[in-house]
């Protein structure tokens, strides 16, 4: 019996190496990490309740290595192989995001671990988009783009061979895994030499910057790597002091005592030198981003969130910009007063997902799920938030837009196409709601079992 390396370990190592590579490529990212670490450290020192919460859920140890990245792929085959490669690292496609309604011609999924233990070992996620070339209306350009993409191979031979080996054997040895990590890293690397002419780049760019970003390059360079902070407002303020200018609006919900979902902000893309086949030029693709994560919402909670967000935007009477940023944040805070800001209420009203922990005590009663609100209120069951591990399409679109520059808003009249995406992927995506509901249910069952066990032994 051979001993394969744990896939969680491969993912953790890969995430670390990726972070090192990106720090070399984009030094500002290194400064950001320092700032986020400082803020997290001071938040943990000051907020003992939050620290205890993160300790209980197992997130405390993962925090300093927590980050997500994003890549954009060009073809179905690339997505298919990317899925196979991520599987070697224990990362599976979760959720479907259609960015077309937001004027970005891609659809996407997030590759990540799906079990609580695995997430706590390494929560590395990669938001992975697939370009929808069929939305390019200029047929000649579409054909040219297709041919350009058909010619490229974004994976090294060894990466693909080791992936096949993993599939065949059901695992990789430590040595093979180390080699695999180095080879796969190549796919995410920035290439200064672009395999197209400056004219083709410009033509693609004129259709949509994102199309140029995908088609004109040798591979899907990692376009950002995002650390997780415990206080995004503090980081946002601290960025200015370190010479980093973030966008004015923090995407997502407003600041709350009990954070929900995801709040994100980013700073501007870098201008990078590119050497086309015929001349030199430049391209802006890569940027920095930070995020604060909160509790995962149930469908009921998510509906309320979506409603309130729309309401706030309607009240603003237009899109949030640099100019009306302060006004928007104020409206947002006012509007979200309708969203309970207390974990117990969020749990009892079925608005968010929680882990349930028994605080055993002696009693003669057998406890069931219907007793949970009472058990929480009397302190016999402790709840802690299940952190949101995914993304927000509206937020993602805001991030895309802000970093593409300008107000590019293309109105693609097209329907969402999850089936097509899953065909390209070669599998269905996991339903994130099901994953959260399962995690909560398992913890409720374990909690009740513990309570009832202690009763039996004490009667
Ligand atoms: C991905 C944007 C989505 C996020 O954090 O919502 C994303 C991209 O720009 O490729 O990373
Ligand atoms: Ni991101």
């Amino acid at each position: 019996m051979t001993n394969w390396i744990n896939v969680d370990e491969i993912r953790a190592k890969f995430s670390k190496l990726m972070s090192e590579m990106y720090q070399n490529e984009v030094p500002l990212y290194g400064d950001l990490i320092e700032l986020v670490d400082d803020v997290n450290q001071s938040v943990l020192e000051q907020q003992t309740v939050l620290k205890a919460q993160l300790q209980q859920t197992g997130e405390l140890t993962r925090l300093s290595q927590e980050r997500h990245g994003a890549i954009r792929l060009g073809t179905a085959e690339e997505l298919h192989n990317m899925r196979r490669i991520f599987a070697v690292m224990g990362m599976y496609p979760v959720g479907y995001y259609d960015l077309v309604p937001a004027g970005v011609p891609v659809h996407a999924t997030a590759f990540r671990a799906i079990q609580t233990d695995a997430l706590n070992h390494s929560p590395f996620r990669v938001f992975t988009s697939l370009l929808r070339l069929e939305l390019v209306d200029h047929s000649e350009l579409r054909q040219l783009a297709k041919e350009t993409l058909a010619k490229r191979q974004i994976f090294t031979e060894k990466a693909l061979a080791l992936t096949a080996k993993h599939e065949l054997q059901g695992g990789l040895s430590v040595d093979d895994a180390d080699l695999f990590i180095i080879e796969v890293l190549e796919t995410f690397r920035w290439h200064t030499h672009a395999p197209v002419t400056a004219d083709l780049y410009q033509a693609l760019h004129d259709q949509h910057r994102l199309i140029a970003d995908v088609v004109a390059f040798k591979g899907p360079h990692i376009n950002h790597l995002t650390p997780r902070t415990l206080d995004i407002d503090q980081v946002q303020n601290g960025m200015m002091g370190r010479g980093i200018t973030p966008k004015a609006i923090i995407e997502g919900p407003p600041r709350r005592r009990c954070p929900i979902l995801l709040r994100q902000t980013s700073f501007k893309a870098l201008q990078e030198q590119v050497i086309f086949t015929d001349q030199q030029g430049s391209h802006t693709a890569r940027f920095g981003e930070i995020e604060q994560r909160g509790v995962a919402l149930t469908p009921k909670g998510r509906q309320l969130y979506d409603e309130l967000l729309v309401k706030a935007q309607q009240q603003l009477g237009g899109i949030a910009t640099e100019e009306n940023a302060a006004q928007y944040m104020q409206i947002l805070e006012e509007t979200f007063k309708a969203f309970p800001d207390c974990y117990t209420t969020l749990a009892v009203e079925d608005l968010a997902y929680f882990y349930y922990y028994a605080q055993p005590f002696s009693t003669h009663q057998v406890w069931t799920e219907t007793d949970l609100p009472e058990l929480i209120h009397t302190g016999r069951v402790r709840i802690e938030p299940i952190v949101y591990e995914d993304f927000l399409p509206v937020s993602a679109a805001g991030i895309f837009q802000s970093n593409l520059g300008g107000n590019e808003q293309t109105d693609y009249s097209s329907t969402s196409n999850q089936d097509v995406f899953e065909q390209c992927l070669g599998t269905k995506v996991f339903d994130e709601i099901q994953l959260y509901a399962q995690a909560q249910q398992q913890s409720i069952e374990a909690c009740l079992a513990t309570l009832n066990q202690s009763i039996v032994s004490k009667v």
Side-chain angles (χ1 to χ4, degrees), residues 317-334:
I319 21 173
T321 60
E322 301 261 325
E323 287 73 40
N324 59 21
Q327 189 197 356
Y328 177 63
M329 292 321 268
Q330 204 181 350
I331 292 175
L332 203 60
E333 266 180 38
E334 202 52 44

Side-chain angles (χ1 to χ4, degrees), residues 293-358:
R293 292 186 170 265
V295 65
L297 299 184
T298 63
K300 186 182 164 196
R302 181 55 190 265
Q303 200 185 339
L304 180 59
Y305 169 81
D306 286 336
E307 278 169 20
L308 295 177
L309 201 65
V310 168
K311 204 171 153 192
Q313 274 154 0
Q314 278 170 351
Q315 212 166 334
L316 185 71
I319 21 173
T321 60
E322 301 261 325
E323 287 73 40
N324 59 21
Q327 189 197 356
Y328 177 63
M329 292 321 268
Q330 204 181 350
I331 292 175
L332 203 60
E333 266 180 38
E334 202 52 44
T335 312
F336 268 81
K337 286 195 174 141
F339 207 113
D341 197 8
C342 147
Y343 285 135
T344 304
T345 314
L346 291 174
V348 172
E349 291 188 7
D350 189 33
L351 289 166
Y353 291 110
F354 290 87
Y355 292 116
Y356 288 72
Y357 306 98

Side-chain angles (χ1 to χ4, degrees), residues 118-376:
L119 283 160
N120 283 342
H121 191 107
S122 169
F124 185 53
R125 336 171 166 77
V126 180
F127 191 92
T128 305
S129 309
L130 176 63
L131 180 64
R132 295 182 64 183
L133 261 191
E134 74 272 18
L135 298 178
V136 174
D137 45 25
H138 189 306
S139 67
E140 224 172 287
L141 191 63
R142 190 171 59 234
Q143 190 53 32
L144 216 51
K146 228 177 172 166
E147 284 164 16
T148 308
L149 285 171
K151 274 190 265 177
R152 76 177 189 180
Q153 171 53 277
I154 64 169
F155 306 105
T156 70
E157 260 174 52
K158 280 186 189 146
L160 289 174
L162 286 162
T163 302
K165 192 171 178 183
H166 166 95
E167 289 168 346
L168 198 70
Q169 301 179 150
L172 288 182
S173 68
V174 175
D175 288 348
D176 276 350
D178 282 344
L179 190 58
F180 169 85
I181 289 166
I182 289 167
E183 292 291 327
V184 172
L185 205 58
E186 288 307 309
T187 298
F188 295 82
R189 195 182 289 285
W190 172 256
H191 299 277
T192 308
H193 288 265
V196 299
T197 61
D199 276 352
L200 179 54
Y201 170 86
Q202 199 52 50
L204 294 164
H205 192 280
D206 290 346
Q207 276 280 311
H208 200 299
R209 266 174 206 244
L210 189 122
I211 299 174
D213 185 54
V214 177
V215 179
F217 292 86
K218 283 187 195 157
H221 40 251
I222 182 94
N223 66 50
H224 66 284
L225 219 44
T226 305
R228 173 179 169 192
T229 174
L230 297 174
D231 188 339
I232 197 167
D233 299 285
Q234 244 188 77
V235 176
Q236 173 106 343
N237 294 334
M239 276 158 86
M240 294 303 229
R242 301 200 188 196
I244 311 171
T245 313
K247 66 201 266 300
I249 309 278
I250 295 181
E251 304 280 346
R255 185 178 183 87
R256 297 159 48 88
R257 258 185 306 137
C258 304
I260 53 172
L261 296 173
L262 182 62
R263 300 182 72 206
Q264 296 182 315
T265 183
S266 62
F267 55 86
K268 290 273 178 330
L270 319 167
Q271 262 237 334
E272 280 164 306
Q273 282 275 305
V274 182
I275 302 169
F276 297 108
T277 51
D278 52 348
Q279 67 186 75
Q280 283 211 13
S282 70
H283 179 66
T284 48
R286 289 152 3 124
F287 59 98
E289 183 190 50
I290 43 163
E291 65 189 10
Q292 182 175 357
R293 292 186 170 265
V295 65
L297 299 184
T298 63
K300 186 182 164 196
R302 181 55 190 265
Q303 200 185 339
L304 180 59
Y305 169 81
D306 286 336
E307 278 169 20
L308 295 177
L309 201 65
V310 168
K311 204 171 153 192
Q313 274 154 0
Q314 278 170 351
Q315 212 166 334
L316 185 71
I319 21 173
T321 60
E322 301 261 325
E323 287 73 40
N324 59 21
Q327 189 197 356
Y328 177 63
M329 292 321 268
Q330 204 181 350
I331 292 175
L332 203 60
E333 266 180 38
E334 202 52 44
T335 312
F336 268 81
K337 286 195 174 141
F339 207 113
D341 197 8
C342 147
Y343 285 135
T344 304
T345 314
L346 291 174
V348 172
E349 291 188 7
D350 189 33
L351 289 166
Y353 291 110
F354 290 87
Y355 292 116
Y356 288 72
Y357 306 98
Q359 314 283 309
F361 61 103
S362 48
T363 154
H364 296 285
Q365 196 177 334
V366 173
W367 301 94
T368 67
E369 269 188 50
T370 50
D371 301 314
L372 285 172
E374 184 195 331
L375 287 163
I376 297 170

Side-chain angles (χ1 to χ4, degrees), residues 389-437:
E389 304 281 357
D390 297 287
F391 295 84
L392 295 171
V394 179
S395 175
I399 299 285
F400 264 111
Q401 291 300 346
S402 79
N403 294 294
L404 290 170
N407 284 325
E408 260 167 296
Q409 275 284 352
T410 318
D411 210 358
Y412 295 109
S413 47
S414 151
T415 45
S416 160
N417 230 331
Q418 186 166 350
D419 288 345
V420 173
F421 185 83
E422 289 176 336
Q423 268 167 28
C424 300
L425 193 62
T427 175
K428 286 204 162 304
V429 298
F430 282 90
D431 175 358
E432 68 276 19
I433 293 299
Q434 241 170 42
L435 296 174
Y436 296 121

